[in-house]
Amino acid sequence: MLAAAVVTGSSAAWAAPANTPEASANAAHVPTISTQVVAAAGRINADPAIQAIVAQWATPQSVQRRFDQHKELVRIAAPSRHEQRRATEIMRRMVAEWGFAPNQVTTRKDGHLAGSDVQRVDGLPVYNACVVIKGSYASQPGARSWHGQYPKVLMEGHIDAVNPATLPPADDPYLPIKLQRMSEPVVATPEQLAAISKELHFDASGHIIHDANYRAARHYYANEKQAKKANALRMYVPGYGDDMVNASNVMMIARAMNAHDIKPVYDIWFCDTAGEEGKGNLAGMKQLYGYDQNKGTGTNPLNFVANFGLDASGSGIVNFIGSYRFEIKYKAPAKATRQGPSALGAAAATIARIAHIRTSWDKSHQPPKVTYTVGMVRCQDPQGTDGIVPSCSIQVDMRAPTDKPLNRIRARIEPLFQAGVHAENARHGVADDSAQAVTTELVWFGDRPAHRNTNPSNVAIQAAWQAAEVVGVDTADRLDPHSSSLNDNVPAAIGVPTLNTSISATAASGGTHTFYEWGVPGKPELEAKRMQRMMIAVLIAAGFHTADGKVIKPAAAPIGNRTAELVRQQEPES
């Protein structure tokens, strides 16, 4: 049984309404760009090695390589918290095909990340795939480190997808990439999708075959209007846009910088991260940043000093809406009767109490906007001759743009989980500690920490802003005031300068988070410009050794922010 029970408020994206004090404040949020960052952006962009990469990205061979790699990786099924096959293949390619040395790969296929104090999240391994381009800083006289970790800059996109919901069998790990003309209606059922005969083909090694279907699909369009006019082919595969189009190109940037022997000052990590979607609980970022969700703090054990996420759109997201998510199970007593307390009754009593909560937003529509949802109720099928329902589960999601209102709504809602149990037991005259009572169990807790940016001129924002100006792509006249719920909630909340944007140039897309997610390729020139922008941004933050032997100093300070001290654990042997 699956049903939507209560929906109150809005979804993850949030913006201050027009003409409110918060909107006016955000309108003034224009970064102040330091002379150091302005000079660094221009010099890095003009460097011969950087220009060689930019020229390479414009070649037909590079455009084809980006198309092919994306399709080869996205077809490997990677449900959130079960990304191991995709992560393993990415790490294999790093060494076998992409030119990295084994010691540049910083993650392992068992999920262990050396140096972190968080190795499992929700009791499960974390399947990140990361590679590093080493900087020169550690060998400099007077170099500063934190617990032996020298400064690092991170660029990341996530590799997990909502669908398929479960990992396919090991002997069939791939999803088909179905092709359908845009003149035809988007499929409505998995059966309709499976019935499409045209699809992309791959060889035994997992590489795409350049056959007639490939040639028909590999066309690029400026926008959806142009794609529809040309009756372009949709490519159906979960994760097409969210977020493999970015995650694949993170590795394309890393490959290019490594191949052209780009030398930063600080280390630069390129990560395809795990656990962004659904119950992934931001596992990949929690491992990278040592985030303890029970305490709401992060140790930043690897000493990241700037963070560039690739999962949003436009010029960049700097505000991150926080959430608490609970899955609660209500369990019938072992010897339940139809006349006694029921699991369904306890769940319903809880939902009724949550439905009566009102926040200040409900009353006045003034910020901060706080939302809460009972988004799912699922009960086991009735058992036995009496038709007793053994258990029912509810999922509750609470969201707010900053921690204080988020914690306030949690403080109001969390006690209601037990209050519903008590009400159902009391209705039947049964004590909560009786063998005849309904009981409750916390099945899962999710935490996405909130962050409202108060520094429009932090180093990540400055670097990305000025890089956009130099490259001439995704420029803006102010920071985007919207909040999103993304991987970068974690680093932003613990104080690491953070910006999230996109390097995707998808012309048209749909079905995000569904089995019928699809996309149509956008202009490769736009994609290349966005890649150029983010390459320059990470080098501004990390520092850069120019082709003529000079050093552009890092814009980021060498010691990263954190909200808790590190408790070092003994590293297991590899």
Side-chain angles (χ1 to χ4, degrees), residues 458-539:
N458 76 44
V459 69
I461 294 171
Q462 284 195 54
W465 185 280
Q466 192 60 29
E469 292 288 333
V470 168
V471 176
V473 67
D474 296 330
T475 57
D477 57 7
R478 67 176 182 127
L479 293 175
D480 189 334
H482 289 80
S483 292
S484 289
S485 179
L486 301 167
N487 253 346
D488 295 330
N489 283 52
V490 171
I494 67 172
V496 177
T498 296
L499 179 133
N500 191 296
T501 184
S502 175
I503 46 181
S504 166
T506 301
S509 62
T512 300
H513 293 176
T514 69
F515 70 89
Y516 59 88
E517 183 172 354
W518 61 271
V520 175
K523 286 292 187 181
E525 308 94 275
L526 176 59
E527 180 179 74
K529 277 185 171 290
R530 287 174 170 166
M531 293 167 68
Q532 180 184 357
R533 175 201 180 193
M534 297 317 297
M535 175 174 60
I536 293 169
V538 298
L539 288 170

Side-chain angles (χ1 to χ4, degrees), residues 77-387:
S80 198
R81 302 320 309 272
H82 296 282
E83 309 91 343
Q84 59 266 38
R85 294 173 186 167
R86 188 177 283 170
T88 296
E89 174 61 11
I90 290 168
M91 287 186 282
R92 184 197 70 80
R93 289 188 178 207
M94 286 173 179
V95 176
E97 300 182 13
W98 298 347
F100 293 102
N103 64 2
Q104 290 181 274
V105 182
T106 60
T107 43
R108 301 193 325 212
K109 64 181 181 180
D110 65 357
H112 182 79
L113 179 63
S116 181
D117 55 338
V118 172
Q119 300 297 351
R120 298 174 76 86
V121 175
D122 298 334
L124 297 173
V126 181
Y127 298 112
N128 287 325
C130 299
V131 69
V132 62
I133 293 180
K134 295 291 291 183
S136 62
Y137 182 78
S139 63
Q140 293 179 7
R144 298 176 63 198
S145 68
W146 188 80
H147 286 262
Q149 294 285 346
Y150 290 98
K152 302 170 182 68
V153 175
L154 177 65
M155 179 188 289
E156 64 84 24
H158 72 82
I159 59 172
D160 61 314
V162 173
N163 284 282
T166 58
L167 196 65
D171 60 354
D172 188 21
Y174 301 111
L175 305 173
I177 301 180
K178 298 285 189 176
L179 306 176
Q180 178 198 48
R181 292 291 175 188
M182 291 189 73
S183 58
E184 300 177 43
V186 173
V187 299
T189 66
E191 292 74 21
Q192 289 179 2
L193 181 61
I196 296 174
S197 59
K198 181 175 282 192
E199 61 184 62
L200 295 175
H201 298 124
F202 300 82
D203 64 22
S205 66
H207 292 90
I208 199 165
I209 297 172
H210 295 178
D211 58 9
N213 284 357
Y214 173 91
R215 291 188 291 274
R218 214 195 118 211
H219 291 276
Y220 303 91
Y221 305 92
N223 49 46
E224 185 171 7
K225 181 179 179 181
Q226 188 184 88
K228 284 183 175 179
K229 184 177 180 180
N231 201 17
L233 282 169
R234 296 187 186 98
M235 283 177 266
Y236 285 104
V237 64
Y240 180 100
D242 189 6
D243 184 39
M244 279 310 298
V245 73
N246 279 305
S248 179
N249 278 336
V250 166
M251 292 304 157
M252 280 294 180
I253 295 173
R255 290 176 64 179
M257 290 176 62
N258 193 59
H260 286 262
D261 200 25
I262 299 299
K263 294 195 179 299
V265 177
Y266 296 162
D267 293 357
I268 302 177
W269 280 40
F270 300 86
C271 290
D272 283 350
T273 50
E276 197 279 334
E277 302 290 4
K279 283 191 175 180
N281 210 4
L282 305 188
M285 298 300 270
K286 288 177 179 178
Q287 182 185 57
L288 285 163
Y289 283 97
Y291 185 83
D292 185 333
Q293 62 190 29
N294 294 316
K295 298 177 181 177
T297 58
T299 58
N300 191 7
L302 298 170
N303 195 26
F304 289 108
V305 297
N307 185 100
F308 298 92
L310 300 170
D311 191 22
S313 60
S315 60
I317 294 292
V318 300
N319 298 314
F320 301 94
I321 199 162
S323 66
Y324 291 126
R325 302 174 182 184
F326 291 85
E327 182 176 351
I328 303 295
K329 178 184 283 188
Y330 297 88
K331 297 184 290 186
K335 296 182 179 180
T337 66
R338 293 184 66 84
Q339 291 72 42
S342 75
L344 180 58
T350 297
I351 294 166
R353 282 159 174 75
I354 293 173
H356 285 96
I357 288 180
R358 292 293 179 267
T359 68
S360 57
W361 171 264
D362 295 316
K363 298 172 184 177
S364 65
H365 279 210
Q366 295 295 314
K369 186 173 185 179
V370 179
T371 66
Y372 46 95
T373 302
V374 180
M376 183 280 289
V377 180
R378 180 182 289 114
C379 293
Q380 287 183 266
D381 291 335
Q383 305 289 314
T385 57
D386 289 338

